[in-house]
């Protein structure tokens, strides 16, 4: 049995929330396959509900031989935004396995059925036909891709039909926990009056498998399915860069879109460090820009001893939602590494700065003070975490300050590709007029490290 939950959230100058809950229970043996599942999706944009749908389904298959099976499928669904009060359907199915290997499976199935629904206040029932396809591919024992497509037309009028499509990627964090990212698309060719024909959602979250993933065989067995594949050890010194892109989408009866781009370059040696970070986050809700934030940092650290370092740094910020046209802060940093080993680094930084900014159409410059905490930890060759908190205050007025906090968890998918999930928080003690004090966002991205 597997349970999965996804969350996308932003608060402050832009407000949106989306979450999903999925449960799938399955039982497989030589002759029978049983699946029971439930999906729930909910989203708000600017305080207005944009998605609110749920579905329960069950399927029982009986294998006739290695390729063929017969079975039955039933479901109950509701979609408030699409005006669907209920839809109950059942089908008798005949299926065939085109692919059935350790790495890949591809199944097609189809059969007649019947549906009862109430949509837009109108009840109707009719004969249907279901045609479905399911595909799964395992890159490694810990990372898989899945895809499914179903088409359910009305027998008397095939142009009146429902199409469901799903594509997803899952990678294991532990033997039970996994990260999951997927896109769902639904087309209803006969929607309720005043409602759209299509809905598309992009969701990222975590999954928990009660069955777990077995350990590799004793004697040094690998979890990778690729012969001879070994995982590269993370770099301890030298140059390392990461490019990451994240995307979220809800389209149809409600429209929202978000994109996040990140670039991180680091150089480490025994006596110095260099960092360059660049991030851009853009989002729209129903055609209006809700987030447009760009931030960057360049920093050089020179170690005077094994743990103590000094160096210059400069930070840049532009945030359209917070009405910050620009904020530039060159800083002289003194830092101390409380923890510094191959797996974990924890450093505290402190230093004088000077801030140039234009906030709420007001241009200012002033002496300031910066304090920061930076943490990174490599759990193993597949999973790593980075986190930072930066505080900046005007020297002559400590009530004028801002705080930024970030955290990101990277999980290896395969080779140099990673799945990144994280959070960003920004607080302005004196925001621009009519702006909120804080902004909070959760995100997921696909990253490439080189």
């Amino acid at each position: 049995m597997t349970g999965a939950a996804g969350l996308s959230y932003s608060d402050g100058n832009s407000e949106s929330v989306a979450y999903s809950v999925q449960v799938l229970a399955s039982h497989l043996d030589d002759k029978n396959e049983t699946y029971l599942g439930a999906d729930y999706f909910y989203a708000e944009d600017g305080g207005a509900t944009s998605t609110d749908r749920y579905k329960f389904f069950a399927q029982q298959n009986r294998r006739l031989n290695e390729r063929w099976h017969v079975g039955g499928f039933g479901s109950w669904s509701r979609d408030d935004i699409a005006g669907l009060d209920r839809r109950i359907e059942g089908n008798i199915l005949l299926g065939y396995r085109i692919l059935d290997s350790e790495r890949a499976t591809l199944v097609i199935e189809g059969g007649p059925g019947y549906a009862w629904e109430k949509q837009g206040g109108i009840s109707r029932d009719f004969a249907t036909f279901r045609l479905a396809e399911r595909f799964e591919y395992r890159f490694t024992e810990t990372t898989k891709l899945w895809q499914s497509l179903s088409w359910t037309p009305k027998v008397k009028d095939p142009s009146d039909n429902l199409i469901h499509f799903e594509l997803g990627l899952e990678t294991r964090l532990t033997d039970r926990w996994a990260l999951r990212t997927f896109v769902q698309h639904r087309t209803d060719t006969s929607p309720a009056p005043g409602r759209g024909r299509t809905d598309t959602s992009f969701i990222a979250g975590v999954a928990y498998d009660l069955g777990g993933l077995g350990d590799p065989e004793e004697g040094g067995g690998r979890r990778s399915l690729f012969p001879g594949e070994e995982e590269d050890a993370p770099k301890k010194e030298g140059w390392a860069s990461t490019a990451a892109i994240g995307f979220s989408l809800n389209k149809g009866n409600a429209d929202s879109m978000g994109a996040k781009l990140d670039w991180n370059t680091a150089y480490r040696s025994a006596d110095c460090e260099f960092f360059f970070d660049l991030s851009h986050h853009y989002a729209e809700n129903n055609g209006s820009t809700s987030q447009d934030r760009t931030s960057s940092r360049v920093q050089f650290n020179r170690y005077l001893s094994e743990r103590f370092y000094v160096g210059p740094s400069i930070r840049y910020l532009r945030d359209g939602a917070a009405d910050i046209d620009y904020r530039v802060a060159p800083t002289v940093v003194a830092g101390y590494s409380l923890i510094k080993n191959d797996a974990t680094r924890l450093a505290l930084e402190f230093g004088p700065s000077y801030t140039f900014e234009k906030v709420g159409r007001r241009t200012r410059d002033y002496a300031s003070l910066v304090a920061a905490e930076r943490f990174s930890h490599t759990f193993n060759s597949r999973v790593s975490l980075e986190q930072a908190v930066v505080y900046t205050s005007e020297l002559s007025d400590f009530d004028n300050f801002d705080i930024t906090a970030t955290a990101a968890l990277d999980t290896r998918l395969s080779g140099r590709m990673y799945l990144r999930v994280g959070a960003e928080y920004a607080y302005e003690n004196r925001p621009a007029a009519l702006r909120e004090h804080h902004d909070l966002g959760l995100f997921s991205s696909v990253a490439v490290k080189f």
Side-chain angles (χ1 to χ4, degrees):
M1 179 175 177
T2 301
L7 175 66
S8 174
Y9 181 77
S10 65
D11 189 20
N13 290 293
S14 62
E15 295 182 3
S16 66
V17 61
Y19 56 83
S20 67
V21 178
Q22 296 178 297
V23 178
L24 176 65
S26 60
H27 174 76
L28 309 175
D29 58 35
D30 292 338
K31 292 292 184 180
N32 298 287
E33 299 176 345
T34 304
Y35 304 95
L36 299 172
D39 297 340
Y40 178 64
F41 300 91
Y42 180 85
E44 287 185 4
D45 294 324
T49 302
S50 58
T51 303
D52 188 4
R53 68 177 184 267
Y54 43 94
K55 179 178 182 180
F56 301 91
F57 61 91
Q59 182 165 345
Q60 174 69 43
N61 296 333
R62 175 74 175 180
R63 285 205 177 198
L64 302 178
N65 54 42
E66 290 185 358
R67 298 285 184 177
W68 292 93
H69 69 264
V70 294
F73 172 84
S75 69
W76 183 94
S77 57
R78 178 186 177 98
D79 190 333
D80 287 346
I81 303 304
L84 180 65
D85 294 317
R86 65 175 178 274
R87 179 183 174 100
I88 303 170
E89 58 182 307
N91 294 84
I92 298 173
L93 301 173
L94 176 65
Y96 181 76
R97 291 175 177 262
I98 298 175
L99 297 175
D100 190 10
S101 66
E102 181 183 9
R103 185 176 294 181
T105 59
L106 175 60
V107 180
I108 58 171
E109 56 191 19
Y114 208 83
W116 298 262
E117 74 172 23
K118 183 179 180 181
Q119 188 171 34
I122 300 174
S123 297
R124 60 177 185 163
D125 60 277
F126 45 86
T128 65
F129 186 86
R130 177 180 173 85
L131 184 62
E133 166 265 339
R134 301 192 307 274
F135 174 74
E136 182 177 299
Y137 184 83
R138 290 188 174 273
F139 297 96
T140 68
E141 195 69 18
T142 57
T143 303
K144 70 176 181 180
L145 171 81
W146 80 91
Q147 174 267 324
S148 65
L149 175 66
S150 68
W151 177 58
T152 309
K154 188 177 180 180
V155 170
K156 290 185 177 181
D157 182 10
S159 65
D160 184 354
N161 60 73
L162 286 176
I163 298 174
H164 287 270
F165 173 81
E166 183 170 299
L167 175 67
L169 185 69
E170 180 178 291
T171 182
R172 295 270 183 165
L173 296 173
T174 68
D175 65 335
R176 296 184 185 273
W177 288 98
L179 292 176
R180 172 180 291 188
T181 301
F182 63 97
V183 60
Q184 282 194 346
H185 176 81
R186 176 181 181 271
T187 298
D188 184 351
T189 60
S190 298
R195 307 303 169 92
R197 292 160 55 100
T198 63
D199 282 291
T200 304
S201 299
F202 182 87
I203 300 166
V206 295
Y208 183 79
D209 190 342
L210 292 177
L213 178 68
D215 291 329
E217 295 180 1
E218 294 183 1
R222 294 190 309 271
R223 288 188 175 181
S224 169
L225 296 179
F226 296 128
E229 179 185 71
E230 298 292 343
E231 295 187 343
D232 299 329
K235 295 181 179 180
K236 303 298 189 301
E237 293 189 353
W239 289 98
S241 295
T242 302
I245 181 169
F247 185 75
S248 63
L249 176 70
N250 265 298
K251 193 167 185 64
N253 287 292
D255 292 338
S256 64
M257 182 274 289
K260 192 172 191 305
L261 304 174
D262 290 288
W263 179 276
N264 309 100
T265 293
Y267 173 81
R268 288 185 172 94
S269 68
D271 56 2
C272 66
E273 296 175 328
F274 172 81
F275 302 97
F276 171 68
D277 302 319
L278 176 65
S279 177
H280 178 66
H281 194 178
Y282 180 83
E284 289 185 358
N285 287 328
N286 293 319
S288 299
T289 301
S290 58
Q291 282 194 339
D292 187 6
R293 179 184 176 91
T294 302
S295 61
S296 181
R297 171 183 71 122
V298 180
Q299 182 167 333
F300 176 80
N301 298 331
R302 179 73 178 184
Y303 277 87
L304 304 180
S305 65
E306 184 179 355
R307 294 181 179 271
F308 183 74
Y309 59 88
V310 296
S313 172
I314 185 169
R315 292 179 299 121
Y316 169 82
L317 172 66
R318 184 188 64 82
D319 192 333
D323 202 11
I324 301 174
D325 291 328
Y326 63 83
R327 177 177 287 152
V328 182
T331 308
V332 177
V333 171
Y336 184 79
S337 296
L338 299 175
I339 303 174
K340 185 184 178 185
N341 56 50
D342 287 345
T344 307
R345 296 193 178 209
L346 173 60
L348 300 180
E349 297 176 353
F350 182 84
S353 178
Y354 204 87
T355 300
F356 306 85
E357 67 178 20
K358 184 179 180 181
V359 179
R361 301 182 180 180
R362 182 188 179 192
T363 301
R364 299 182 64 223
D365 62 275
Y366 50 86
S368 52
L369 182 69
V370 173
E373 171 266 338
R374 304 187 187 277
F375 173 77
S376 65
H377 180 71
T378 301
F379 296 93
N380 50 51
S381 61
R382 295 184 60 248
V383 183
S384 62
L385 172 71
E386 291 209 13
Q387 173 268 327
V389 177
V390 180
Y391 166 89
T392 305
S393 172
E394 184 176 354
L395 272 177
S396 61
D397 183 2
F398 281 98
D399 284 337
N400 181 28
F401 69 87
D402 65 87
I403 299 172
T404 60
T406 59
L409 181 72
D410 288 351
T411 305
R412 183 194 293 262
L413 298 175
S414 63
R416 298 181 182 276
M417 187 169 292
Y418 288 73
L419 180 63
R420 172 175 293 180
V421 294
E424 293 182 343
Y425 176 78
Y427 180 85
E428 296 278 334
N429 196 49
R430 288 182 181 170
L434 305 178
R435 297 301 196 269
E436 298 290 337
H437 285 277
H438 71 277
D439 282 290
L440 171 65
L442 306 179
F443 64 89
S444 66
S445 307
V446 175
V448 178
K449 295 188 177 184
F450 49 94

